[in-house]
Structures are given as structure tokens and as C-alpha cells.
Amino acid sequence: MSDESSAVVDETGASRLVRLFLIYRLYILAVASLFVFALVAFGIYRLTAEVRYDDVLAALSATSWSAIALAAGFTLLSFLALILYDANALDYIGRKAPFPSVAVTAFMAYAVGNTVGFGPLSGGAIRFRAYSRLGLAPGDIARVIAFVTLAFGLGLLSVSALAALAVAPRVAGILGVDAFWLRAAALLILLILIGLFYSGRNGHVLRFKGFELRLPDSRTASRQFLVSAFDIAAAASVLYVLLPDTQVGWPTFLAVYAVAIGFGVLSHVPAGLGVFEAVIMAGLSNAISIDQLLGSLVLYRLIYYVLPLLLATVLLLITEMRQLVLRPGVAEAAQLAGKLAPALISTLSLILGAMLIFSSVVPTPDSDLDFLAGYLPLPIVEGAHFLSSLLGLLLIVAARGLGQRLDGAWWVALAGASVAFAFAFLKAIAVFEAGLLALFIVALLANARAFDRHSSLLRQTLGPSWLAAIAVIVVTATLILLFVYRDTEYAHELWWQFEFSEEAPRGLRALLGLAIASSALALFSLLRPAHFRTEGPTPAELEQAVAITMGQDFADANLVRMGDKRLLFSPSGKSYIMYGIHGRSWIALADPIGLDEEFPELVWQFVGAARAGGGRAAFYQISPILLSACADVGLRAFKLGELAIIDLPQFEMKGSRFANLRQSHNRGLRDGLTFTVVPPQDVAMILPALRAVSDGWLAHHDAKEKTFSLGAFEDSYVLEQPVAVVRLEDDIVAFATLMVTDTKAEATVDLMRFAPKAPKGTMDFLFASILDYLKAEGYRQFNLGMAPLSGMAQREAAPVWDRVGGVLFEHGERFYNFKGLRAFKSKFHPRWEPRYLAVSNATGAALALMDVTFLIGGGVKGVISK
């Protein structure tokens, strides 16, 4: 084999590995995060070898209420600063939104994102849901998310560098590094940040190989630095005031805290659980006893993570009060909070599930057990304790369904929380636990109307992120059990000891039940068919879809007549989605067809079907109307280009705007061209002539038929539509199939082909004649089709996707005639409407576009052979 051939094989193998990683990256990242967390958990267990559970309880009891109140106050200050992140981001991109709505969105996004920390319930998804309803375009929302993410990262770097520079010897001693190198690293970071700050002092634009990045001006950068510094300082103070008296100064602690937060974010472990604690303990164990430090860390998690979530839930309930909603300026924010209720309640369900699991492996206070022994038989206490851990797992599973607004998940969560509420008193007098469950139950009842999707929770499978989160919780419960009963020697008899005073066997049995149930759940989710495929449409389904198509306004929906796309109907049967499958991509073509009010539920149906089949849901060439529904299911929108629309009532070839088009039309008439529209019932008579033109056109252009988003010359397809034909001396020399509906709201063309002998300018003559004919027939608009990557080139501070698209539009003529196609459509003076691809993330968007290419080209072989 030659060196060149070897290089091709190696490149192909590398490409295959990259594609496999992209396909299974979520599973790989989930396993990697779980592995990191397991290592951290083991490290924490070793670090706490000399600590006992009673010592931690004593440290918790020793924390004063004033310190707790002070920590809550710093938490409030931190979240006020976090709200300003979003306000600054909107100001930076030049968009306006009511501050109450921004505050509600930011607060809930951070309350959910900080607590959960992984994809399906992340703060970014909440921002897409909320800001899309406030009128922001997907690109603007992506820029907001990028701004707040980058602002936090740079703020964390700058604050930690300044703190390390100020107290380098102390921090170096804690971290075990040389003070000189610590100062050098901190100084280098600061110099880089100062360089960026100076470069962007006047809103400077950095350009590199066609890419542009507009740096924030001095005012924006200074303001955001102050906000970031205040946020991180306030968050660090939450934990600092909870620590016992120590010789560690606040600047030193701030540096250690910033490093711990950074490692927690980089670990990808949900909420940085364990990783943050490990870094704090490693950094401060020489100055503070581990038992006291553990107690402070537990309180910190409760105050900074759980308390805002509970406050957000309370605020959600308050907004249901009509007297508040009716107040001016609050109504919009209250309505927005209601829209975000499923995400918030879902997160609370996850937290309460973890709480029930953790409480099942820790001992019940002796006083509570003595009280219960006087009123309840032992089997009831044992059963309540064991079942509580399983109810915790049930609430975690229900959390995913709640995030998807499933009514089945609502019922499961309500029933599970109600039983757990009763068990809180039967297994122990757990008043605090019962209070949180009661709040959750009230939140469910108050927002019942938000969970309006009729679907069974049993049909849902958990993805890798959710399985990883459950695994983290189970590992944490195991660590807690081992830590609490460190001094209890294991024996097989422990499993069979049933006494009020025997806490270790009770926790051991609860953990075993949890492990078995979690393993069964994971196997159920992972072993379901990974590549389930639905069949193509039956003749009855195709007939039903065509009937729906003719009764609505979207002309491109006639592509369903090709029969090459699968169909998903709404429960009423009055709407449908047409889609194709290639690889793991389930790609819906354009917006749903049918009744507008059924579109959101159809989006949920499609995404659920894709996930159940082990696929990746994507919506290709959708309009802005569908963006809100896509945001609700956690999909992000990426601009594909712009659709050209001609308003036919304003179209007039006699005017100066269409002088060139009029000249082409008149030249065609002089050349002897004639135009007619053949109705569907008469197309069969000219079908052989049309096929001859089509075959000649394909041969002349060395092209093959396309599918999916384009029609192909198939007899059954062409015979169902009107055909516009151009004749020269009674011979058909060009034609275009027309796609129309009974509403006459829109018309467009699909197949456009001409014979090699057609005179120059024949297609311009055909287009001009079609437009004139459609106007006379009373059609309101003509769809000229999409110009790919149009509208991306000149956007300042655009997302990476837009910047790449802009570069391809400007310099990608060797791959596709992007600018030429835009110029051709511009001759007709259309109005331009954006079209988007909606998918889970940028990597998914790239893979989905690749699969769309294969669908249109007829697979890999079709793409390679054109």
C-alpha cells in the first residue's frame, strides 16, 4: 500500500473515531464525570478518616443563627449581582426587555442552573424559553448566554488572580506550590485580562481570517468586572461567615474559594458536588478541623443552592395571587414565571428526591425513635424508612417528565410526594422534610394547568445526563452511609437485624433497594432499542396528510406528496409533521402542517419519539413562529438563511422595479415562447414530454434527482400538481411544477427544468409568467425559496455559528453559489424571512446538517456521485 493510500485510510479512521465520539459524546462525558466524582468521593472519604458523624452534627449545632442569617443575606446579594449579568448582557447586544421579566428569568435560571448544573435543566434552556417569549431572536439569546458564561469565567479568573497575588505566600502554603510561581501565574493572567480590556476600550473589533469579535467597550467591561467581583465575593462570603473562628483571612479564603468553584465547573459533575468540597477541604484542612469544615459546607449547600430554589418556588406561588398579578409592571413578569414553572418544579423534584435518599441512610435522632416506639409497630417504621429511598428515586425520575410538562409525571410526583409526606412522620418526626414536601405539593397543585401534555411517564427513557445524575446521588448516599457508620463493623447479620435501635441495618437495606432500583432503571433506559425506526406513510396516511395540506397556507407542505418522508400526526389527526431519519438524526422538515394551536404539542411528540428511538431531534428550515415551542423542549435555534417572499398584490411588471424582468418576458414573446398552466387532471397527456425535458436537463447538468426537501421527477408526484409549461412551436422546452393549496395564501414551485434547445432567458420568461398568472388567480404571496447563509455576514458580536456562516457566504463560492443565489432572488425584490435549524446544541446542529445533506442527496453514495 502506498504512503498516500495509508494516509487516506488513517484519515478515514480518524474521521470515523471523531464521528463516533460526537455521536456518543454525552455517554462518554457522563461516564467521565461519574469517574471523576467517584475518585473525589473516595478522596473525601480518606480525608475524613478521623471525623465522626456526631462531630459534624455538633459543628452544625454550634453555628449561630446570626451567621446563618448573614449567609442568607450574602446569598441575596450574590443573586442580585447574577441578575445584573443578564441586564448587562442585554445592554451589550443592544436589546431591551422589562427589568422585572429579566430579573425573574435570571433568578430562576441561576437557581436551577446552580443547583442542577447539567443540560436538560440548565439555566441556558430557561433563558431560551423566557427570552424567546420576550421577542429576542435565537442569535440574541445565544449571545446573552455566551456573555454571561464568559463574564463569569473571566470574573472568576480576575478575582482569583488578584486574591492570589495579594496573599500569595498564604495561598501557596495551603495549595502546596511555590509562592513565586503562584504570583507569576496570577500576574500573567492579569496582564492578559488587562490586554483584552485595553484592546476593547472603544468597542474594538478583532479580525482573524474572516472572523470578527467585537470586544466590550471600557464602560461595559468595567461594569461587568465590578458585577462579577461583587458576585464572587458575596458567594465566597456565604461560606466564610459559616466557618468557625479561624486564622484564614478573607482574601486568602477568596482565592481558595475561586479555585474550588473553577474545578467544580470544569469537572462537569452536577453542581460540582464533591469536587468543590474536596478542594475546600484540601485547601483549609490545615487551618480548620475537618468536622467543622464539613458542617459549614453542608450549610453552605443548603443556603446558597437550595434556599434560592425554595424562594423561587414561593415566588412562583405568590404570582398566582390575582391581586399581585393585576399590579402594573408585575403582570408580565408573573406570566413569565408561570411559563418557567415546569423547569423550576422539576428541579425541586430532583432536589427533594435526593433529600429523601440521603435521609434514608442517616440515623434518626434517638428521641424521635423513642417517641415512635410508643405508638407505631416496628414493621411500619422499617417499611416507611425503606420505601422513602425508593420514593426519592421516583421523584427524580418524575423530575424529567415534569420538565417536559407531562401530566403523567405530575400525577406520579403528586402521589409520590404525598406518600413521602406521610412517611416523613412514620420513619421519623422529620418536620423540615415534611415542610419541603408540602411546599412541593402546593406548587404542583397551583401549577397543574402547566402540565398539559398527555403522555405516560413509563414511556420515557432517561438519557446519559440523567443517569449520571442518579449515579452521583447513589454514590453520594453510599459515601454518607460509609461515613456515618464508619465505626460499625460489617457483618452479614446486619441485613436481618430489625430493631428500633439498629440504624445501620436500616440504612444498609435502604441503600441496597435504591441500588437495585437504580440499576434496573439504567438497564431499562440503556437497553431499549437504540435505533427504532418508524415506517413510511401508508396510502391512507398520505391521503390524510394531503387533505390537511390543501386546507392550510403553507405551499411547501405539498412535498408530502413525494411519499419519501415519515409522518407524525397530532392526537386529533388534524396536523402532522413530516420528517426523515438518517443515522441518529430525526429531521422534521419545516414547521408542522395543520392547526397552529396543535404545533407545540406536535413538537413535544416528535422530540419524545426521537428520544425513545435513540435519536437526535432536529427541525430543519423552521420559521420564527416555531422557535418558542422548540425552546420549550430545550432545543436551540441556529440560523440557516433567509426565505424570499414576493407579495403578489404589489407585484407589477409594468413598474420600474421589474424592468429587467419585463424585458426578459417580452424577449421570450418575441422568440415565440408561449406560457400555459396545465391543471393536474390534464398533466398525464403531456407527461412523456415533461420527462424528456427533465431527463435532458439532468444529463446536461450531470445531476441526479434529490429528495426530502426537494421533489423528484416521479410520475405519481408530478401528476398531482399543476404544471407551468413553456412551449416553442408546440414543443415543451421548459416547465415548473406548482405547489398550491386551496386557501390561495401562498404558491411556490418545485421542479424547474428546461431543455438544452430552450432559448436564452427562458427561465426568466417562465418565472415572470408564473408570477403574473398567480397574481391574476388571487394568490397572496409567492415563495421563492431559501437563500442559504443569507443575513449572517454583517452581524456584530454574532455567535460562532453566524460568524462561520458569514465567512462561508462571503468566501465559499467554490462550494456553493451562496451569493449568486441571493442575487438571483433579489432581482424579484422580495421580503426576507429568517429560517432556522433547531437542535440541542452546536455539535448536534453540525451532525444534523450532515444528515440532511445525505437525506437530500440520497445517502452517502448519492452525495458522492452528486
Side-chain angles (χ1 to χ4, degrees):
M1 183 181 290
S2 66
D3 292 340
E4 183 178 352
S5 298
S6 300
V8 171
V9 172
D10 291 341
E11 182 179 357
T12 303
S15 301
R16 186 179 295 112
L17 288 175
V18 170
R19 180 170 176 82
L20 286 174
F21 172 77
L22 292 175
I23 291 174
Y24 296 106
R25 70 193 185 283
L26 293 178
Y27 293 93
I28 295 172
L29 292 175
V31 172
S33 299
L34 183 59
F35 178 73
V36 168
F37 179 76
L39 290 179
V40 169
F42 179 73
I44 291 176
Y45 184 74
R46 294 291 298 273
L47 279 172
T48 59
E50 303 301 323
V51 180
R52 297 298 176 266
Y53 178 66
D54 291 339
D55 298 331
V56 177
L57 290 181
L60 284 170
S61 301
T63 305
S64 65
W65 284 104
S66 60
I68 293 174
L70 199 56
F74 280 119
T75 298
L76 176 62
L77 293 177
S78 176
F79 271 80
L80 288 176
L82 291 174
I83 290 172
L84 293 179
Y85 276 72
D86 283 54
N88 285 349
L90 291 170
D91 181 68
Y92 170 69
I93 67 173
R95 296 293 182 267
K96 300 292 184 182
F99 184 77
S101 297
V102 174
V104 167
T105 301
F107 180 74
M108 290 192 175
Y110 285 112
V112 170
N114 288 352
T115 305
V116 181
F118 63 93
L121 293 176
S122 66
I126 288 181
R127 287 187 177 89
F128 266 99
R129 289 183 177 95
Y131 288 140
S132 63
R133 287 187 167 87
L134 295 177
L136 269 69
D140 294 331
I141 302 172
R143 292 158 69 192
V144 169
I145 295 173
F147 182 94
V148 298
T149 303
L150 188 61
F152 176 77
L154 294 179
L156 190 64
L157 270 178
S158 58
V159 169
S160 57
L162 286 171
L165 198 62
V167 290
R170 178 64 175 164
V171 175
I174 290 176
L175 299 179
V177 297
D178 187 86
F180 172 79
W181 292 112
L182 184 62
R183 275 203 174 103
L187 188 59
L188 178 62
I189 291 172
L190 288 174
L191 288 175
I192 292 174
L193 294 176
I194 290 172
L196 287 174
F197 179 84
Y198 180 78
S199 298
R201 63 192 183 281
N202 295 317
H204 181 66
V205 177
L206 295 180
R207 294 179 175 86
F208 179 74
K209 294 184 178 181
F211 290 93
E212 293 186 358
L213 173 64
R214 182 170 65 87
L215 297 174
D217 56 71
S218 300
R219 176 175 172 272
T220 301
S222 301
R223 183 175 59 192
Q224 186 54 49
F225 170 75
L226 293 176
V227 170
S228 300
F230 183 78
D231 161 45
I232 297 168
S237 298
V238 175
L239 178 55
Y240 188 74
V241 298
L242 294 172
L243 296 175
D245 293 336
T246 175
Q247 298 301 315
V248 178
W250 187 83
T252 303
F253 175 79
L254 179 62
V256 175
Y257 178 88
V259 171
I261 287 291
F263 274 105
V265 172
L266 292 175
S267 70
H268 291 287
V269 175
L273 185 66
V275 179
F276 172 81
E277 284 79 3
V279 175
I280 291 292
M281 286 192 287
L284 301 179
S285 59
N286 292 333
I288 305 173
S289 64
I290 292 294
D291 55 344
Q292 292 177 318
L293 196 53
L294 277 176
S296 299
L297 286 168
V298 170
L299 281 175
Y300 167 77
R301 285 285 183 181
L302 291 174
I303 293 174
Y304 192 75
Y305 288 82
V306 178
L307 182 61
L309 190 66
L310 297 178
L311 181 59
T313 306
V314 172
L315 290 176
L316 181 64
L317 294 177
I318 293 176
T319 58
E320 296 295 323
M321 300 169 57
R322 291 183 58 84
Q323 60 269 31
L324 179 62
V325 173
L326 292 176
R327 290 182 58 185
V330 183
E332 188 178 47
Q335 185 180 12
L336 188 60
K339 295 291 185 181
L340 301 179
L344 183 61
I345 293 175
S346 172
T347 307
L348 185 58
S349 180
L350 180 67
I351 296 301
L352 292 181
M355 176 193 71
L356 290 175
I357 290 172
F358 296 156
S359 68
S360 68
V361 297
V362 298
T364 304
D366 293 338
S367 58
D368 292 350
L369 284 176
D370 293 339
F371 178 82
L372 292 173
Y375 294 93
L376 296 175
L378 179 61
I380 291 181
V381 176
E382 291 281 358
H385 196 95
F386 179 81
L387 293 176
S388 287
S389 64
L390 300 183
L391 287 172
L393 180 62
L394 184 68
L395 287 182
I396 293 174
V397 174
R400 183 177 184 274
L402 291 172
Q404 296 180 356
R405 303 198 341 255
L406 302 182
D407 58 352
W410 184 87
W411 283 107
V412 168
L414 182 63
S418 300
V419 175
F421 176 80
F423 283 177
F425 297 99
L426 297 180
K427 68 175 183 178
I429 313 300
V431 178
F432 178 75
E433 184 177 299
L436 294 182
L437 288 167
L439 176 64
F440 178 64
I441 292 169
V442 172
L444 283 172
L445 293 173
N447 293 276
R449 64 185 181 280
F451 303 93
D452 54 359
R453 294 191 57 233
H454 304 298
S455 180
S456 170
L457 186 64
L458 298 177
R459 295 175 57 188
Q460 309 298 311
T461 56
L462 297 177
S465 298
W466 280 93
L467 292 176
I470 292 175
V472 165
I473 291 172
V474 173
V475 172
T476 304
T478 304
L479 177 65
I480 293 173
L481 181 74
L482 293 175
F483 171 75
V484 171
Y485 301 107
R486 189 191 297 271
D487 295 329
T488 301
E489 186 176 352
Y490 174 78
H492 295 304
E493 291 77 14
L494 287 174
W495 297 101
W496 315 111
Q497 292 181 3
F498 295 92
E499 299 179 22
F500 273 103
S501 60
E502 295 298 333
E503 292 282 4
R506 200 171 291 137
L508 201 60
R509 287 188 291 269
L511 184 62
L512 176 64
L514 174 67
I516 293 174
S518 300
S519 300
L521 180 66
L523 288 174
F524 172 76
S525 295
L526 294 175
L527 297 183
R528 291 193 63 173
H531 295 286
F532 169 76
R533 295 291 185 263
T534 58
E535 298 297 329
T538 64
E541 289 175 333
L542 198 56
E543 182 180 352
Q544 179 184 358
V546 170
I548 295 172
T549 296
M550 296 306 293
Q552 51 84 58
D553 298 340
F554 180 51
D556 273 332
N558 281 281
L559 285 169
V560 74
R561 298 176 185 270
M562 277 288 295
D564 63 335
K565 289 170 279 292
R566 295 167 168 85
L567 301 177
L568 176 68
F569 288 93
S570 64
S572 71
K574 297 179 180 179
S575 306
Y576 70 92
I577 283 177
M578 51 182 168
Y579 66 99
I581 298 177
H582 188 276
R584 290 187 62 245
S585 296
W586 291 46
I587 302 163
L589 178 60
D591 292 1
I593 312 301
L595 303 178
D596 293 353
E597 59 269 22
E598 294 187 342
F599 289 0
E601 177 57 29
L602 260 176
V603 170
W604 278 104
Q605 280 183 248
F606 179 72
V607 173
R611 289 170 177 168
R616 173 197 311 108
F619 290 82
Y620 179 66
Q621 290 192 13
I622 60 172
S623 70
I625 296 173
L626 203 66
L627 294 181
S628 179
C630 290
D632 277 343
V633 297
L635 301 183
R636 290 180 55 187
F638 300 86
K639 191 172 183 180
L640 290 174
E642 293 178 312
L643 191 74
I645 300 292
I646 299 175
D647 292 318
L648 290 174
Q650 283 75 45
F651 174 74
E652 181 59 68
M653 275 200 295
K654 296 180 181 179
S656 59
R657 296 180 68 197
F658 295 100
N660 293 332
L661 191 63
R662 183 175 65 253
Q663 291 173 7
S664 297
H665 184 264
N666 292 336
R667 184 168 56 249
L669 292 175
R670 290 194 299 270
D671 291 339
L673 299 179
T674 59
F675 170 84
T676 56
V677 174
V678 181
Q681 62 269 22
D682 297 333
V683 173
M685 294 185 293
I686 62 170
L687 189 62
L690 297 180
R691 177 169 290 282
V693 171
S694 176
D695 291 343
W697 184 87
L698 291 171
H700 179 73
H701 290 85
D702 190 22
K704 294 184 180 297
E705 295 284 10
K706 306 299 182 184
T707 57
F708 189 61
S709 64
L710 300 169
F713 195 101
E714 295 181 0
D715 292 355
S716 60
Y717 179 64
V718 176
L719 288 170
E720 291 189 2
Q721 304 169 93
V723 179
V725 299
V726 175
R727 290 182 171 88
L728 178 64
E729 298 178 353
D730 296 329
D731 291 333
I732 295 177
V733 294
F735 73 89
T737 58
L738 298 181
M739 295 196 291
V740 297
T741 69
D742 293 338
T743 66
K744 292 190 174 184
E746 182 182 82
T748 188
V749 297
D750 185 17
L751 301 175
M752 296 177 291
R753 294 175 183 179
F754 59 91
K757 66 177 182 179
K760 184 180 179 180
T762 296
M763 296 309 289
D764 284 343
F765 174 82
L766 175 62
F767 254 99
S769 301
I770 288 174
L771 293 175
D772 210 30
Y773 166 80
L774 292 173
K775 178 182 178 181
E777 290 294 314
Y779 286 89
R780 296 197 294 274
Q781 67 180 32
F782 181 79
N783 176 358
L784 265 175
M786 190 178 74
L789 305 183
S790 173
M792 293 182 173
Q794 304 300 322
R795 298 181 61 178
E796 290 189 351
V800 174
W801 179 273
D802 284 45
R803 296 202 300 272
V804 172
V807 171
L808 286 175
F809 184 84
E810 291 293 332
H811 308 290
E813 294 300 304
R814 59 178 294 189
F815 305 108
Y816 188 84
N817 190 21
F818 295 109
K819 298 176 73 173
L821 184 59
R822 165 85 187 205
F824 170 77
K825 296 179 187 296
S826 296
K827 292 193 305 183
F828 297 91
H829 304 285
R831 56 183 169 86
W832 297 94
E833 295 182 357
R835 287 297 181 267
Y836 298 93
L837 170 70
V839 70
S840 56
N841 51 51
T843 303
L847 292 173
L849 279 181
M850 188 185 306
D851 289 326
V852 166
T853 303
F854 291 139
L855 282 173
I856 294 174
V860 177
K861 182 178 179 181
V863 171
I864 294 175
S865 62
K866 299 179 66 175

mmCIF file of all heavy atoms in Angstrom, residues 6 9 80 141 263 332 352 450 466 542 553 598 620 717:
data_model
loop_
_atom_site.group_PDB
_atom_site.id
_atom_site.type_symbol
_atom_site.label_atom_id
_atom_site.label_comp_id
_atom_site.label_asym_id
_atom_site.label_seq_id
_atom_site.Cartn_x
_atom_site.Cartn_y
_atom_site.Cartn_z
ATOM 1 N N SER A 6 -2.170 4.934 2.604
ATOM 2 C CA SER A 6 -2.163 4.788 4.062
ATOM 3 C C SER A 6 -2.687 6.039 4.727
ATOM 4 O O SER A 6 -3.441 5.986 5.703
ATOM 5 C CB SER A 6 -0.740 4.486 4.551
ATOM 6 O OG SER A 6 -0.266 3.294 3.974
ATOM 7 N N VAL A 9 -6.423 6.053 4.504
ATOM 8 C CA VAL A 9 -7.024 5.126 5.454
ATOM 9 C C VAL A 9 -6.979 5.680 6.861
ATOM 10 O O VAL A 9 -7.956 5.637 7.610
ATOM 11 C CB VAL A 9 -6.307 3.758 5.373
ATOM 12 C CG1 VAL A 9 -6.795 2.860 6.487
ATOM 13 C CG2 VAL A 9 -6.559 3.107 4.025
ATOM 14 N N LEU A 80 -28.508 39.068 43.404
ATOM 15 C CA LEU A 80 -28.758 40.379 42.802
ATOM 16 C C LEU A 80 -27.696 40.691 41.759
ATOM 17 O O LEU A 80 -27.988 41.237 40.687
ATOM 18 C CB LEU A 80 -28.774 41.456 43.891
ATOM 19 C CG LEU A 80 -29.991 41.464 44.819
ATOM 20 C CD1 LEU A 80 -29.816 42.510 45.909
ATOM 21 C CD2 LEU A 80 -31.268 41.734 44.033
ATOM 22 N N ILE A 141 -30.312 35.520 21.981
ATOM 23 C CA ILE A 141 -30.311 34.728 23.220
ATOM 24 C C ILE A 141 -28.989 33.987 23.373
ATOM 25 O O ILE A 141 -28.429 33.899 24.479
ATOM 26 C CB ILE A 141 -31.491 33.741 23.224
ATOM 27 C CG1 ILE A 141 -32.811 34.498 23.079
ATOM 28 C CG2 ILE A 141 -31.500 32.923 24.515
ATOM 29 C CD1 ILE A 141 -34.021 33.599 22.888
ATOM 30 N N PHE A 263 -12.723 24.420 39.650
ATOM 31 C CA PHE A 263 -12.601 22.973 39.493
ATOM 32 C C PHE A 263 -13.982 22.311 39.447
ATOM 33 O O PHE A 263 -14.189 21.334 38.718
ATOM 34 C CB PHE A 263 -11.773 22.374 40.637
ATOM 35 C CG PHE A 263 -10.289 22.403 40.379
ATOM 36 C CD1 PHE A 263 -9.476 23.314 41.025
ATOM 37 C CD2 PHE A 263 -9.717 21.531 39.475
ATOM 38 C CE1 PHE A 263 -8.114 23.357 40.780
ATOM 39 C CE2 PHE A 263 -8.360 21.551 39.220
ATOM 40 C CZ PHE A 263 -7.546 22.473 39.870
ATOM 41 N N GLU A 332 -46.491 40.989 33.567
ATOM 42 C CA GLU A 332 -45.690 40.291 32.564
ATOM 43 C C GLU A 332 -44.679 39.368 33.220
ATOM 44 O O GLU A 332 -44.478 38.231 32.785
ATOM 45 C CB GLU A 332 -44.971 41.310 31.682
ATOM 46 C CG GLU A 332 -44.265 40.677 30.491
ATOM 47 C CD GLU A 332 -43.615 41.724 29.609
ATOM 48 O OE1 GLU A 332 -42.948 42.607 30.163
ATOM 49 O OE2 GLU A 332 -43.780 41.647 28.374
ATOM 50 N N LEU A 352 -35.641 17.222 46.089
ATOM 51 C CA LEU A 352 -36.381 16.508 47.136
ATOM 52 C C LEU A 352 -36.147 15.003 47.037
ATOM 53 O O LEU A 352 -36.089 14.304 48.054
ATOM 54 C CB LEU A 352 -37.870 16.823 47.033
ATOM 55 C CG LEU A 352 -38.261 18.263 47.360
ATOM 56 C CD1 LEU A 352 -39.767 18.443 47.238
ATOM 57 C CD2 LEU A 352 -37.813 18.641 48.759
ATOM 58 N N ALA A 450 -50.073 23.810 33.972
ATOM 59 C CA ALA A 450 -48.849 23.872 33.158
ATOM 60 C C ALA A 450 -48.442 22.506 32.643
ATOM 61 O O ALA A 450 -47.686 22.407 31.671
ATOM 62 C CB ALA A 450 -47.712 24.486 33.976
ATOM 63 N N TRP A 466 -29.135 12.321 32.851
ATOM 64 C CA TRP A 466 -29.986 11.964 33.987
ATOM 65 C C TRP A 466 -29.462 10.721 34.699
ATOM 66 O O TRP A 466 -29.462 10.653 35.928
ATOM 67 C CB TRP A 466 -31.421 11.742 33.516
ATOM 68 C CG TRP A 466 -32.153 13.031 33.334
ATOM 69 C CD1 TRP A 466 -32.279 13.751 32.190
ATOM 70 C CD2 TRP A 466 -32.835 13.779 34.339
ATOM 71 N NE1 TRP A 466 -33.002 14.892 32.419
ATOM 72 C CE2 TRP A 466 -33.362 14.932 33.730
ATOM 73 C CE3 TRP A 466 -33.059 13.570 35.696
ATOM 74 C CZ2 TRP A 466 -34.090 15.879 34.430
ATOM 75 C CZ3 TRP A 466 -33.807 14.514 36.396
ATOM 76 C CH2 TRP A 466 -34.299 15.652 35.766
ATOM 77 N N LEU A 542 -51.074 9.037 3.819
ATOM 78 C CA LEU A 542 -50.680 10.015 2.818
ATOM 79 C C LEU A 542 -51.887 10.804 2.322
ATOM 80 O O LEU A 542 -51.819 12.030 2.142
ATOM 81 C CB LEU A 542 -49.992 9.305 1.650
ATOM 82 C CG LEU A 542 -49.148 10.163 0.723
ATOM 83 C CD1 LEU A 542 -48.084 10.919 1.494
ATOM 84 C CD2 LEU A 542 -48.504 9.302 -0.361
ATOM 85 N N ASP A 553 -52.089 27.101 4.672
ATOM 86 C CA ASP A 553 -51.483 28.151 3.852
ATOM 87 C C ASP A 553 -50.074 27.851 3.357
ATOM 88 O O ASP A 553 -49.546 28.604 2.544
ATOM 89 C CB ASP A 553 -51.438 29.470 4.647
ATOM 90 C CG ASP A 553 -52.814 29.976 5.020
ATOM 91 O OD1 ASP A 553 -53.783 29.553 4.365
ATOM 92 O OD2 ASP A 553 -52.920 30.779 5.958
ATOM 93 N N GLU A 598 -52.017 23.301 17.644
ATOM 94 C CA GLU A 598 -51.519 21.951 17.903
ATOM 95 C C GLU A 598 -50.010 21.821 17.692
ATOM 96 O O GLU A 598 -49.430 20.777 17.978
ATOM 97 C CB GLU A 598 -52.246 20.934 17.010
ATOM 98 C CG GLU A 598 -53.716 20.799 17.323
ATOM 99 C CD GLU A 598 -54.381 19.678 16.552
ATOM 100 O OE1 GLU A 598 -53.817 19.214 15.540
ATOM 101 O OE2 GLU A 598 -55.474 19.255 16.976
ATOM 102 N N TYR A 620 -35.724 21.370 10.662
ATOM 103 C CA TYR A 620 -34.974 21.965 9.560
ATOM 104 C C TYR A 620 -35.832 22.962 8.802
ATOM 105 O O TYR A 620 -36.957 22.662 8.420
ATOM 106 C CB TYR A 620 -34.506 20.843 8.630
ATOM 107 C CG TYR A 620 -33.734 21.282 7.417
ATOM 108 C CD1 TYR A 620 -32.485 21.882 7.537
ATOM 109 C CD2 TYR A 620 -34.244 21.074 6.134
ATOM 110 C CE1 TYR A 620 -31.762 22.271 6.415
ATOM 111 C CE2 TYR A 620 -33.535 21.451 5.005
ATOM 112 C CZ TYR A 620 -32.295 22.058 5.157
ATOM 113 O OH TYR A 620 -31.589 22.433 4.049
ATOM 114 N N TYR A 717 -45.919 11.847 -8.416
ATOM 115 C CA TYR A 717 -45.741 13.163 -7.804
ATOM 116 C C TYR A 717 -46.113 14.273 -8.784
ATOM 117 O O TYR A 717 -46.847 15.215 -8.433
ATOM 118 C CB TYR A 717 -44.295 13.305 -7.349
ATOM 119 C CG TYR A 717 -43.948 14.630 -6.716
ATOM 120 C CD1 TYR A 717 -44.526 15.040 -5.524
ATOM 121 C CD2 TYR A 717 -43.024 15.476 -7.319
ATOM 122 C CE1 TYR A 717 -44.201 16.266 -4.946
ATOM 123 C CE2 TYR A 717 -42.685 16.695 -6.751
ATOM 124 C CZ TYR A 717 -43.284 17.087 -5.563
ATOM 125 O OH TYR A 717 -42.958 18.294 -4.994
#
